[in-house]
Amino acid sequence: MDTGVVIAIDRDVCIGAGQCALAAPGVFTQDDDGFGALLPDRPEGGGDPMLREAARACPVGAVTVEERPA
């Protein structure tokens, strides 16, 4: 489902706090190293209402949600 957003996790910044996965477990998970990751079947968030809250919850700002250019 194309929701018109681009979600990114900066792995150089991520500290593995897991706040993204706690806020929006239908979009985010943690990889084998404990860092934030997108669920493979939800690369654009699927319209999850908690998507932007998950980005705000990241204590180091590693998660970004931006509007897809038209």
Side-chain angles (χ1 to χ4, degrees), residues 10 15 18 25 27 29-30 34 40-41 43:
D10 186 337
I15 60 171
V27 178
T29 188
Q30 287 182 284
D41 59 339

Side-chain angles (χ1 to χ4, degrees), residues 5-35:
V5 297
V6 177
I7 306 167
I9 301 172
D10 186 337
R11 288 187 49 93
D12 292 332
V13 175
C14 181
I15 60 171
Q19 296 305 302
C20 58
L22 287 172
V27 178
F28 298 96
T29 188
Q30 287 182 284
D31 66 15
D32 292 338
D33 296 320
F35 294 106

Side-chain angles (χ1 to χ4, degrees), residues 2-7 44 52 65-70:
D2 185 350
T3 59
V5 297
V6 177
I7 306 167
E44 295 173 350
R52 293 185 192 284
V65 178
E66 298 179 356
E67 298 300 319
R68 183 179 304 281

Side-chain angles (χ1 to χ4, degrees), residues 47-63:
D48 191 304
M50 294 300 291
L51 180 59
R52 293 185 192 284
E53 180 57 34
R56 282 189 290 274
C58 180
V60 294
V63 178

